[in-house]
Amino acid sequence: MSTHKHHWETVDPYDGGLHICKKCKLSSQGERLATPCPISDAEHRAVAWLGQAGLYGTRLEAVRNGEQSITPVSFALLFELASNQVLSQLNEGRHRG
């Protein structure tokens, strides 16, 4: 069971307020629901998704490619992966020339 917390935003402050979770889009009138959110913070902030066959721009793209297990990739991790790839290619070019 998920233990992720909702990221509530109040969009209408009247009559107890209308609250909408920015992650899963669940809405609640009056009191904010105490139920867990199905989406983790990492999934919500993901800029890419990493699967067995490679990196995908969206979760849907990964699923359409038949990926069974995907991991959310943050901006920091994506930058690190790209930097490592560039350094690897630069080092490979030095050894050839």
Side-chain angles (χ1 to χ4, degrees), residues 15-30:
D15 296 328
L18 175 61
H19 314 286
I20 298 176
C21 176
K22 286 185 172 185
K23 295 190 297 184
C24 70
K25 306 302 182 206
L26 177 70
S27 64
S28 175
Q29 181 70 43

Side-chain angles (χ1 to χ4, degrees), residues 21-71:
C21 176
K22 286 185 172 185
K23 295 190 297 184
C24 70
K25 306 302 182 206
L26 177 70
S27 64
S28 175
Q29 181 70 43
E31 288 187 32
R32 296 175 180 179
L33 299 175
T35 59
C37 184
I39 299 174
S40 71
D41 289 343
E43 293 170 314
H44 179 63
R45 290 190 300 262
V47 294
W49 295 87
L50 185 60
Q52 187 78 20
L55 198 61
Y56 299 92
T58 65
R59 173 185 262 183
L60 180 60
E61 185 182 349
V63 171
R64 282 187 178 164
N65 198 49
E67 292 287 355
Q68 297 295 312
S69 177
I70 53 176
T71 304

Side-chain angles (χ1 to χ4, degrees), residues 1-16:
M1 173 172 240
S2 166
T3 58
H4 309 297
K5 294 184 179 186
H6 289 284
H7 189 254
W8 294 111
E9 175 181 45
T10 302
V11 294
D12 183 1
Y14 301 103
D15 296 328

